[in-house]
Structure formats: C-alpha cells, structure tokens
C-alpha cells in the first residue's frame, strides 16, 4: 500500500511521535460521550496479546525484508526488463487486499490440503500434548502462520522498494567492477550498504500499514493478539477499548521503529508539521473513527483524508524536488509574465502531478475500502451497489460466510484479483503520468 | 558482508524449515489421536442436569457419566444398574386395640402353618408385632392371600383404617408440622402424603373424631375459612406395595466414595421435593416411604398406591451422591455447571469450561475412548475440524459431504393425530380407518424438514421388551375412499365426501409454536382433501390452552407430540373412567373389555407378563383406530471417516448412541425376579 504513494523521509524522533500520536488519538476517542468502561480483559491478558502481536509483526517484517532483499538483488542481476517485471509483480502483490491473502491462504491450506492452523483448530485431548516438541511445534506454528501471511504483502512492497530504491542510490557497479571487486561483494556489501538506509525508511513506513494488516489477519485466524482485540473493538465501536488499542498500537509501532534504528546508515530527517502528520497510522485511525460515524459520505471522506494525509509528505517532497529543477529563473531572463512562465513551465507539471496524485489516491482508496470492509463488514451496506457487489466476498461477516469462503474461495479470489488489478493499473497510470526528476 | 548475507538468506530458510517442521508435527499429533472421540456441537455449553437433559447430546452425556438404579439395556430390556436385584412384595398393617390382641392375631396366623401350610398358598413371608400393630409381609404384590389372611384375624377387635384428605387455600406444611409437634393425638396418624403444598392425605388408625377436632384447631386459617378435611376410604388394614432394590456391592462414585442405598434414597427424596417434569412423575410422587436398609445395601421403597409400573420410575433415572445433594438442596443450573455432581457411570468429567467438556473413561484398561465435546462450534470451526480430520463427530450433521456417514439416535418422541370419538363423523371407526389409509406418511417424511423416521401403530414406545411394532396402515387412497363411501360419506367426482345432509368436515387442533407441527398439519389437510374431507386447522397458542381444550374435549382431532416413556400403564389415556370432562381419556374411547385389560395391565408388577397383556390390549384397542401415528423424530450426527467405531454402523440406524462407541453393548442378563422361599417362623 505504501508503494502506491511516493515515499517520504521520516521526521526526527519518529518513535516518540508515533507514541504521542497514538495517545493523542486515544484521547480524542475518549472525548466521545457515553462510554462503556467495561473492558472485559485483564492488564496481563492485554499485555500478552500485545506481546504476541509484536512477535508476529517483527517476524513478518524481518521475513519481508529478507525476501525483498533476496528477490530484489537477484532481479538486479537480471536484465532490466526482467527487473522491472519483478518490481511490477512485487507491486501487484502489495495491491492484493490482505483479506484475500488470508482467506485465500486458509482456503488452500485448510480447505484444499486439510492442514492445520493452530488458532482455528477445535480443542484437542490434552494427552496428545505429551511431548515437548509437539507443544513447541504447535506454539511455533501458531505464531508463524499469521507472520507468513503478514509477510506476503510486505514482501511485495519490499521487492518493489529494493528494485526502485536500488536505482536511486549511487551506482557503484562500474567503478567497483573496474577495481576487480567480485560481483557478490558489489551487490551484498557495497550496494546493500547504500540501500539499507532507504530500506529502513521503507520498513518504518510499512510498520504503519502493517498494523492494519495485522488486525485483518489476526481476526481471520482467531489469533488472540492485539489485532484480534482491535477487530472486536472496531466492530463493537467501544471507545475506551479502541482508545487503549490505539495507545498500545502507537507504543508497539514506536517500539518497532525504534528497533529498526539499529539498521546501519542514516538519512536526513524531514522537518515540518506535514511529515509528522504523514508518518502516523492514518488508515488505522480512519478505521477507528469510522466506528463512530453513521453517515456514509463521512465514512469515505475519512478514508480519503487518511489516504491524502498519509501521502501528503511524499507528494510535497516529490513536488519540491521537481520544482527545484524547473528553470524558472532562466525563463524570467527572457521577460515573460509570471502567468506565462506558469503556463509554459509549471502548469503542465502540476497537472501531471495532480493526475498522478488522483490515480494514486484512487488506487489506495480501493485497497483501503477492502481493509475497512474486512474489519467491519457492516460498512458494505454503505457502499453503492456496484462497489458493494465487488467487495461483498471480502466482507466475511458470519461464520457461515467464512465456511462458504473456506469451501470455495473462488468468489473471494476473483473479487480480490479485480481490486488488485484495478489498483495496479491506477498506480501504473500514476507512475507514467507523474513527472520525473527534471 | 558475510554476516548480513547469511542472515538475509538464512532467516527465511530457517523460518520456513521451522514452519515445515511445526506443521508436520502438528499434523501428526492431530492425526495420531487414538485416545478419544472429538465431537463438535453447535449448541452452547449445556447445563448437564442429569434429570432434565435439554438435548439428545445431553441425554447421552448423562448416560455416560451417571448410573441409574435400573438401566434400559441395548435390546430394550431392564438391566441392572446400581441395583443388582429388585423384587416386589406387599406389606399389610393391621392395628389392634392393644398389643395382647396383636399377639393373639399373630398366633392365629402362625397356626395356619400347620399341615396345610397356608402361608405358602397365601405367599405370606412373615408376621411381626410392633406394639399394637401386626405387620404381614407377602412376597407377591398381587397376592389373593392377603384377603384370606385378613379373614383369619378379622374377628379380633381391629381398628378401622381411614384415609383422609386435607385441603387448604394456603400452604399446609408449616401448620402440619406444628400440629404433629403439638397434638397429643398425632400418634394416631400412621401415614402422611403431601399432594402439592396445599393438600395432603393421611391414614388414621382408630377413631378419628377427636383427632379431627384437634386438626381443625391447628389447620384452620380462620373460623370462617376452615381446612377442608374429608374421608376418602375406610379399610380394615393398610396394604402397601413394596419394592426392595439390592445395591450392587463395590460401586463407587467418581470421587472414590462408595455408592450406597443412602444415595439412591437422597436422590429420590430430592426429586420428590421439586416439580421437574420427569418421566413417570406420578409414580415418583406415589412413593410413601424410602428406607436405606442393611447398611446401605438395600433400598426399601413403599408406595401408597398399587401401580405395577412404579418400577419404571427407577429406569434410567440417574442417581447422585447424597453428599452432593445435601450440599445443593435446591440445585440450580449454575450448581450443575459449576459443581457438576460426580456420577458412577463409565465416564467421568475430566475437564469442563464454557467451550469444551472432556469425559475420561473410569476404567482405562477396558479400552474405552474418552470424549471431547466442543461447544458453540461455528460452521467455520466445524468445517476446519472436518477438513483437517481433527473431529470425529459433528452433531447435528452440518456438511452435506458426510451425509452417507449419518448416525441416527433412538427416537424420543413421535407425532400422532388423536381423534375425538365424540365427533359426529369421527365417532365411526371406519371413518378413522379411512383417514388413516389416506395418510401418506412417506410423503410427509420426505416433505418435512429434520430427520424423521417411520412410526409403527403401537401405543407404546419402540425398542422396549414389550413393544409390539404393530403395523400402521399403508397409504391406500382408493381403499380409503371406498371405506368412507361405505360408511355413509360417498364422494361425487372431485367434490367433498358427504352424508345425506352434510359434508364430512372437522377441525384439526395444532399446537401453534412448533414449525414442524404447522407444516405437518398443512400437508395432512392437503392429503385428506384428496379423500374429500374438509379439514380446518386451528392453532392453539400455548401448552396451557391446548391442555384446557383437551381436558374439556373441545376438539375434533389434535396433532400431539407423544414423548416415549418406559411404562406400560395406558389406563389414564383409554379407560372409560377418564372419559368424562376433565379426565385424560381425550379420545373418548369407552369399552368395558378394554377397561379390564387396562386395569390388569396397570396392576401388572411382573415385567415378563407385560408383553402378553400389551398384545391383548392392542388387539382390542388398535382396531378402533383411536389415534394415527405419523412419524418419529430423531437426532442425527455426522461421523467422520476417521471415527473408529467398535460396531459396524452402515447406513441409517436409529439405535446409535455414544454408548455405541464405547464398546459392544452390555449383554448383562436381565436381573432375575427372586422368588423368596418361605421361611419358617422363628
């Protein structure tokens, strides 16, 4: 999802800002009157949930990073067309709604192969847990199943990022080759060293969206973690529960981003209020806010605002880079009016940027609606008929829906494939239309 | 570089390898389950009140965990449970003016042990004197020798024995307690039996006049509102049927404490103290006294009424430990859920929470499987369980894929149409026969939802040792039309069947709550229309209204659920004495010959004689077509191919229970009814 918008540089003290953002949003939710303060859980139980989700997030992110780097660097050794194709595949994978990945995966794993997913299995006789390795295996698989599913879209993002960002860093391939540095060293030492700061930023931005993915995945797998708690709270619309969820979510994201700081290499931090705003989990917040809004138009406005704000810093930074290279001063030498300069040198670029931005926002809205409908199937009723038809297989509201999807995931896959294709097409149009650095 | 590369390449490989191993281990651990049967149930956590199972599954869990005094065996015969042996006898008590007269009476009876040994002829076992009382014990509950023995002592100043009934508008127990404690004449009262909170019946030996005055003093609410005390009967001696149940030695509860007759006594007293709708409830309420004898090895039960089917009250009635019952004197659902009583059955509750219940076999060496019940199983969880072969049974069957693996439980009830023979048309047996012939039960079963089975025409539950499996009328519409025409209701073309002055029409009363009843009624009306009969459906809103309509005989035909009970007493439903308004012979059958058979059947104490009497009754009653049986209703479970059943269960069988999975049916021989040898007086 993040690859659909231009990447922006994070602000300074990102972990702190994320923590504060979560707390502030939780505070805003608590302003909503008529609270039900019954949280129906203990503090230790909730902390265990958060810990479990942190493990899943960490494993998922690490897997995504490793797969992205392996595939991306491997693609770099191939022909340029092949490299672009692999980047496109990565982007396509990132465009597939997570609910499709999780239910499609379950359909194949359980429905077709008949293999177990620990969190979804019926109770078992305790005698079967005799051996320690059985216990260990079950615990391991309990955590790895959601981590694998989480890693899929994130890996798509990372593959795309490794290939695209690989082109934006200094290409030392020729001089290193001239010095006789072996290919493996050129790639895994020098190129990766240059790439790592960018990948760190990518991973940090992925953390923001991964929290939403986690809610969908844990909810589908009945994994008792922070995500499942949030899914329940979002459906119930209980403000105090959501507030705790957002505050703890902010803390989890802060912790993850802090851990990612250990990756070597630093980039210049972005300043300003816009970067602070953009580097917040806006989609997560939008889902939370939607739980308290009845008007259909407001629901989607919230989603657009989330998409707009989360991409704002990236678009502004991209425009600033382009604007800096527009030869306005040189044009003034020839004495045209400012209006003419704007028409001749800026208007076209601004129009293209606007078109690219609209396409990008539309693409991200498509996947955002999928996430919102997956978490709160009731939202489906607030969509217009054609969209509701498209998203209906993704909104698994009841156990019967789930059983039906498990038995025959064709409708889900068709719908998800359609959304992914539409999203991919829009983002490709956005990429084509968007002006390059001049 | 090497480190980074190793990590980047190694981490996904390591995670993939760990996942592959974990999946493999997890699969193996779930596939190699040998220890038990995993059952998925869509119902929520059950209360597991052993006396009030809400569903078939609860009934079967109860059967696994709890042990009754007498069990209904796999082949429908009475089998020993807690009770190893049981026997009926009869106690007769006579009251005399003084002890000397009582001893004289005893001597007179002992004198009958002469050369002729009339005791053996009378089935008299013992004669004892207790103060002014003479106690005669007969080995036969229906012995004619009672009268002959009584005639021997009748000349000696016997005190009359009078039955009184006391009724009051307000609860009686507290005042009665005060009377018994405070009245000097209370010793005259030999037996007390409470019929609800506001009424009781007493047995008084001797003159009752002063006693009645004293009772009024204690029991009258006010001078204007005295307690109603009126006599029921006066006899020379009190005769009471007695059932002795010998408890099997060496039996223990799941908590290790020994099971004795005290537990059985406490259970029966507990049940008499509440108003749960148990099978054979009336027989339970007719228990006069309960005694634990021989250090808890025998339960001695005396009844206030002669009722041969009283034995049935103990059949499949779970017994609970007295200690648990003392700790939960007014047990509520929460008590059964949070502090489940230990049983003495083949399985014990090993673990229980809101989501699951685990039953472990008590005797591990017998190779019985354990059971793990998953409650509130969603269709998703069920589907996952089936796909991953992690479950063995899904109850009720949810997936069409496993339809060929269905297991049907025994029927617990059936649907019948009861005719009111007071109706101008339905009073004719041939008309009722025509309606039976015009009823296509196969079409009903195939058109209605749920798992329905073919019901026979017998008055009794199927699968019992006295079941007759009387054949029901096959569907023969033309024959039905012919019979109806001969009976005076010919049908012109497709019009209604009508007599000379009016068409054949009646109203079918249908309980309005159950969808199955409604749909059945619609289909029946459509089928009977083919015969030319106009049937109007009338729904009754609730059970109370239905009961009122039935007791007032304000119906033509009624669709009723007949719950199967282990009992051979049919007297309340068909005896002419019950045919008057308020009686329970709703059908209105009145036949003196049938009355005699019904009376003999109700008074039959010997289960071995019951089949003969049942056949006799049905041969007389069924040709009158008093009711039309439609179908039985069953529960169904889907068995997964992984289920290792001890007994082959191919195709639809209707006697499948969870007990089937625990091994071959227990073929314990029927407990012999011991014929006690005559003892010489000491």
């Amino acid at each position: 999802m993040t690859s659909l918008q231009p990447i922006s540089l994070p602000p300074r003290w990102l972990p702190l800002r994320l923590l504060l953002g979560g707390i502030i949003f939780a505070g805003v939710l608590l302003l909503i009157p008529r609270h039900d303060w019954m949280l129906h859980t203990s503090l230790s139980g909730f902390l265990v949930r958060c810990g479990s989700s942190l493990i899943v997030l960490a494993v998922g992110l690490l897997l995504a990073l490793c797969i992205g780097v392996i595939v991306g660097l491997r693609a770099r050794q191939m022909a340029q067309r092949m490299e672009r194709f692999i980047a496109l595949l990565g982007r396509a994978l990132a465009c597939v709604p997570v609910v499709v990945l999780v239910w499609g995966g379950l359909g194949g794993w359980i429905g077709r192969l008949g293999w177990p997913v620990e969190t979804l299995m019926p109770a078992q006789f305790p005698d079967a847990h005799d051996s320690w390795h059985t216990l260990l295996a079950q615990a391991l698989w309990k955590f790895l199943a959601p981590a694998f599913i989480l890693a899929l879209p994130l890996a798509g993002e990372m593959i795309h990022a490794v290939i695209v960002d690989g082109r934006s860093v200094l290409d030392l391939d020729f001089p290193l080759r001239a010095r006789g540095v072996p290919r493996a060293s050129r790639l895994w030492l020098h190129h990766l060293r240059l790439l790592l700061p960018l990948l760190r930023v990518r991973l940090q931005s992925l953390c923001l969206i991964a929290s939403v993915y986690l809610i969908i995945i844990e909810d589908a797998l009945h994994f008792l973690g922070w995500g499942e708690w949030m899914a329940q709270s979002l459906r119930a619309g209980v403000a105090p529960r959501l507030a705790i969820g957002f505050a703890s979510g902010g803390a989890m994201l802060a912790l993850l981003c802090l851990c990612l700081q250990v990756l070597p290499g630093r980039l210049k931090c972005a300043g300003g209020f816009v970067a602070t705003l953009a580097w917040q989990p806006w989609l997560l917040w939008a889902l939370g806010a939607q739980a308290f809004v009845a008007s259909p138009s407001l629901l989607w406005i919230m989603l657009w605002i989330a998409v707009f704000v989360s991409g704002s810093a990236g678009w502004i930074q991209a425009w600033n880079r382009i604007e800096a290279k527009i030869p306005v001063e040189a044009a003034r030498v020839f004495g045209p009016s400012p209006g003419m300069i704007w028409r001749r040198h800026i208007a076209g670029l601004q129009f293209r940027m606007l078109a690219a931005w609209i396409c990008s926002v539309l693409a991200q809205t498509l996947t955002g609606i999928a996430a919102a409908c997956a978490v709160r199937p009731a939202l489906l009723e607030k969509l217009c008929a054609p969209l509701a038809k498209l998203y209906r297989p993704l909104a698994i509201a009841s156990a019967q829906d789930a059983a039906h999807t498990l038995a025959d995931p064709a409708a889900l896959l068709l719908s998800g494939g359609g959304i992914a294709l539409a999203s991919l097409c829009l983002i490709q149009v956005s990429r084509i239309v968007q002006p390059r650095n001049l | 570089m090497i480190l980074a590369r190793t990590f980047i390449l190694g981490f996904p490989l390591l995670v993939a390898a760990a996942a592959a191993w974990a999946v493999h281990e997890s699969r193996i651990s779930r596939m190699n389950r040998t220890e038990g049967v995993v059952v998925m149930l869509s119902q929520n956590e059950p209360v597991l009140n052993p006396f009030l199972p809400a569903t078939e599954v609860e009934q079967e869990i109860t059967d696994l965990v709890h042990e009754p005094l007498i069990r209904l065996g796999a082949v429908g015969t009475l089998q020993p449970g807690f009770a190893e042996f049981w026997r009926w006898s009869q106690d007769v008590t006579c009251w005399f003016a003084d002890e000397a007269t009582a001893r004289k009476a005893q001597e007179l009876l002992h004198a009958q042990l002469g050369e002729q040994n009339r005791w053996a002829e009378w089935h008299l076992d013992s004669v004892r004197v207790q103060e002014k009382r003479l106690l005669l014990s007969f080995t036969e509950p229906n012995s004619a020798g009672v009268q002959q023995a009584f005639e021997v002592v009748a000349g000696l100043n016997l005190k009359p024995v009078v039955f009184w009934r006391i009724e009051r508008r307000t609860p009686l127990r507290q005042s009665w307690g005060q009377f018994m404690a405070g009245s000097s004449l209370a010793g005259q009262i030999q037996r007390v039996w409470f019929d609800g909170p506001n009424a009781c019946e007493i047995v008084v030996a001797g003159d009752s006049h002063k006693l009645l005055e004293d009772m009024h003093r204690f029991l009258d609410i006010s001078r204007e509102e005295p307690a109603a005390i009126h006599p029921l009967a006066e006899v020379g001696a009190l005769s009471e049927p007695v059932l002795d149940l010998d408890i099997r030695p060496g039996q223990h509860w799941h908590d290790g404490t020994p099971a004795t007759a005290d537990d059985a006594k406490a259970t029966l007293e507990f049940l008499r103290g509440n108003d749960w709708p148990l099978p054979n409830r009336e027989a339970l309420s007719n228990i006069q006294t309960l005694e634990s004898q021989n250090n808890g090895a025998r339960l001695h039960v005396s009844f206030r009424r002669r009722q041969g089917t009283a034995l049935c009250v103990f059949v499949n009635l779970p017994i609970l430990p007295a200690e648990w019952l003392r700790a939960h004197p007014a047990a509520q659902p929460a008590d059964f859920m949070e502090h489940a009583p230990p049983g003495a059955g083949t399985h014990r509750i090993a673990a229980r929470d809101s989501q699951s219940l685990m039953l472990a076999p008590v005797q591990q060496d017998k190779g019985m499987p354990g059971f793990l019940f998953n409650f509130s199983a969603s269709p998703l969880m069920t589907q996952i369980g089936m796909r991953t072969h992690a479950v063995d049974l899904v109850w009720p069957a949810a997936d069409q894929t496993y339809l060929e693996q269905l297991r049907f439980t025994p029927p617990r009830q059936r649907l019948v149409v009861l005719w009111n023979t007071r109706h101008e048309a339905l009073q004719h047996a041939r008309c009722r026969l025509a309606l039976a012939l015009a009823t296509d039960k196969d079409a009903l079963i195939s058109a209605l939802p749920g798992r329905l089975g073919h019901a026979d025409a017998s008055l009794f539950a199927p699968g019992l040792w006295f079941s007759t499996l009387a054949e029901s009328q096959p569907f023969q519409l033309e024959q039905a039309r012919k019979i109806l025409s001969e009976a005076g209701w010919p049908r012109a073309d497709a019009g209604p069947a009508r007599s000379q002055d009016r068409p054949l029409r009646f109203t079918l009363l249908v309980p309005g709550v159950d969808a199955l009843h409604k749909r059945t009624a619609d289909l029946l009306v459509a089928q009977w229309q083919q015969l030319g009969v106009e049937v109007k459906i009338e729904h009754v809103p609730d059970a109370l209204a239905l009961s009122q309509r039935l007791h007032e005989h304000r119906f033509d035909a009624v669709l009723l659920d007949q719950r199967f009970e282990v009992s051979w007493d049919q007297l309340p439903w068909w005896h002419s004495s019950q045919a008057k308004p308020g009686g329970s012979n709703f059908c209105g059958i009145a036949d003196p010959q049938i009355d005699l058979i019904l009376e003999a059947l109700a008074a039959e104490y010997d289960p071995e004689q019951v089949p003969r009497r049942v056949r006799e009754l049905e041969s007389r009653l069924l040709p009158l077509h008093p009711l039309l049986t439609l179908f039985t209703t069953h529960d169904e479970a889907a068995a997964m191919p992984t289920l290792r059943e001890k007994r082959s269960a191919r195709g639809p069988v209707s006697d499948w229970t969870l007990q089937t999975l625990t091994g071959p049916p227990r073929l314990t021989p029927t407990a012999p009814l011991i014929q006690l040898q005559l003892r010489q007086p000491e």
Side-chain angles (χ1 to χ4, degrees), chain B residues 414-471:
Chain B
R414 69 179 172 185
L415 201 62
V416 300
V417 176
L418 189 72
W419 309 114
N420 187 349
T421 56
R422 302 166 190 92
H423 184 264
E424 60 171 352
L426 294 172
Q427 67 177 308
H428 301 285
R430 289 178 68 75
C431 177
R432 300 196 293 268
L433 170 63
L435 285 162
L437 286 168
T439 307
D440 187 352
K441 290 160 201 158
D442 289 331
L444 289 179
I445 289 169
S446 57
L448 290 166
R451 189 57 54 185
L452 309 175
H454 291 273
D456 55 52
S458 173
L459 302 168
F460 300 90
L464 299 173
W465 76 97
F466 57 86
S467 302
T468 60
L469 303 176
E471 281 186 22

Side-chain angles (χ1 to χ4, degrees), chain A residues 75-150:
Chain A
R76 192 177 166 80
Q77 294 171 315
M78 298 176 186
Q80 201 173 16
R81 280 189 181 180
M82 196 63 193
E83 190 186 5
R84 282 180 183 170
F85 178 69
I86 291 170
L88 184 73
L89 285 182
R91 177 167 269 178
L93 184 59
C95 288
V96 178
V98 178
V99 65
V100 176
L101 291 174
V102 64
W103 280 106
L106 282 180
W109 188 260
I110 294 172
R112 197 167 288 272
L113 297 174
W115 289 356
V117 172
E118 286 304 322
T119 45
L120 289 173
M121 300 304 287
Q124 200 180 359
F125 279 97
D127 310 27
H129 296 272
D130 278 342
S131 58
W132 65 268
H133 51 87
T134 306
L135 268 177
L136 177 67
Q138 286 178 343
L140 207 57
W141 183 228
K142 182 181 160 188
F143 282 89
L144 286 181
F148 274 137
I149 297 171
L150 179 66

Side-chain angles (χ1 to χ4, degrees), chain A residues 140 144 148, chain B residues 11-23:
Chain A
L140 207 57
L144 286 181
F148 274 137
Chain B
F11 182 73
L13 286 176
L14 183 73
V15 172
W21 172 76
V23 170

Side-chain angles (χ1 to χ4, degrees), chain B residues 365-492:
Chain B
D365 54 332
K366 290 199 172 174
M368 280 189 191
F371 290 89
L372 180 62
F373 299 88
N374 287 275
F375 304 119
S376 316
S378 67
L380 171 67
M381 194 77 96
T382 306
Q383 187 110 5
I384 289 170
M386 290 193 300
R387 301 269 173 177
T388 54
H389 305 293
V391 299
D392 301 299
L393 275 174
V394 178
W395 201 337
D399 196 298
Q400 298 292 312
T401 317
Y402 296 97
L403 275 180
E404 73 278 9
Q405 303 281 348
L406 288 182
R407 301 285 179 269
F408 302 103
T409 58
R412 304 289 178 193
Q413 60 183 23
R414 69 179 172 185
L415 201 62
V416 300
V417 176
L418 189 72
W419 309 114
N420 187 349
T421 56
R422 302 166 190 92
H423 184 264
E424 60 171 352
L426 294 172
Q427 67 177 308
H428 301 285
R430 289 178 68 75
C431 177
R432 300 196 293 268
L433 170 63
L435 285 162
L437 286 168
T439 307
D440 187 352
K441 290 160 201 158
D442 289 331
L444 289 179
I445 289 169
S446 57
L448 290 166
R451 189 57 54 185
L452 309 175
H454 291 273
D456 55 52
S458 173
L459 302 168
F460 300 90
L464 299 173
W465 76 97
F466 57 86
S467 302
T468 60
L469 303 176
E471 281 186 22
S472 57
Q473 297 292 340
F475 175 59
Q476 289 173 302
L477 188 57
E478 284 309 315
Q479 180 71 10
R481 282 175 180 156
K482 192 177 162 196
I483 290 171
L484 202 61
S485 178
E486 287 169 2
W489 284 278
R491 189 184 186 205

Side-chain angles (χ1 to χ4, degrees), chain B residues 17-96:
Chain B
W21 172 76
V23 170
H24 177 72
E25 282 289 326
S26 179
R27 279 186 66 207
I28 295 291
S29 76
R30 288 185 185 276
M31 286 169 71
N32 291 348
R33 290 175 304 106
T34 54
E35 66 275 17
V37 178
V38 180
V39 189
M40 300 288 278
L41 303 170
S42 56
Q43 70 173 76
N44 292 331
E45 183 195 4
V47 173
L48 285 187
N49 178 343
F51 306 110
L52 293 177
T55 61
E56 178 63 29
V57 180
E58 279 189 59
Q59 174 69 61
E60 298 204 3
I61 292 173
T62 299
D63 288 347
L64 289 170
V65 174
H66 296 283
E67 186 75 358
L69 279 170
I70 302 170
R71 187 179 277 281
L72 195 64
V75 288
T77 53
L78 299 181
Q79 305 282 338
F82 258 125
E84 194 173 16
F85 300 108
W86 54 90
R87 62 186 164 274
W88 280 105
S89 57
Q90 188 174 194
D91 284 356
V92 176
T93 313
C94 309
W95 282 268
F96 293 89

